[in-house]
Amino acid sequence: MKKAFYSAIAAIAFLSASAAQAVTVNYNYAVPLDGSGKTSAFVGIPNVFVETFDRADGSGGITWASNLVTVTTVSGGGLGFAQGSMPNVYAAPANDTTHFAYGPAQGSGVSDAEVNFNYAGLLGTLGSNASLNYFGLYYGSIDTFNDVTFYNAQGGVIQTITGSFLIGLFNGQSGETQSDSSNIYVNLFFSPQEQFTSFSFKTSSQAFEVDNLVVGYQVVNPVPEPASVALLGLGFAGLGFARRRNRKQA
């Protein structure tokens, strides 16, 4: 991976579905050596998982085990995988010569799609103290009709980021396939209260295109409650008192 990092804009805080929470977003990225255009600057560090959609046999598809991530078509044409571009169907993210995911899939017969990625399986393997606190994606030729929505384990909406917002932020052009202003690496940082478990790509027309999905997690060990700490202290004090008493009796 190329060592130089790029930043399009400083970190921005978005209000989430709850006014007490916020998702922090920035647009830093690294240039990967595999020809996929842009990727997360966090690739290669511990506690990070990457989905490149490039399988070992040279085909495109989900590379994660199905017990870690479940990909479901919620509505419309579902998810497809491709290299290059096909007019009126999909366009590769700028400078991406590898496989990427898009929707709706070619041949589905519809122009809309909503696809959900659920990481409950991954969280189950990491343990009850783990939470997903980072998500990154290379968002190609963003359109005004593209949305990404994040959900908690109960299905509640944490945050929706619209294509219109991203395009407006960068003064981009909807569907433009080459410029940085319409082909963005998006980094999202979640607070422990948000606990996102899944997200959905949604488009009402042809198409959304994404690559280099990166998920980061943290494991927070519980801190003893003050009452528990006090009881523990009393226990040690009791042991000390018993030892002193035994010495006097001896």
Side-chain angles (χ1 to χ4, degrees), residues 75-79 103-105 110-115 201-205 208:
S75 63
L79 196 66
V110 296
S111 60
D112 66 302
E114 182 176 358
V115 180
F201 292 119
K202 186 175 182 179
T203 185
S204 58
S205 188
F208 67 77

Side-chain angles (χ1 to χ4, degrees), residues 2 25 29 76-77 82 93 102 140 142 144 147-148 158 166 174 227:
K2 191 174 180 180
V25 182
Y29 67 91
Y102 73 96
I142 302 171
T144 56
D147 295 331
V148 184
I158 295 173
L166 293 173
S174 180

Side-chain angles (χ1 to χ4, degrees), residues 11-19 21-27 158-162 165-166 169 186-188 194:
I12 296 175
F14 289 82
L15 291 180
S16 66
S18 169
Q21 300 173 359
V23 176
T24 301
V25 182
N26 70 37
Y27 307 95
I158 295 173
Q159 176 70 49
T160 295
I161 297 178
T162 68
F165 176 83
L166 293 173
L169 190 66
V186 183
N187 303 278
L188 301 102
E194 285 152 342

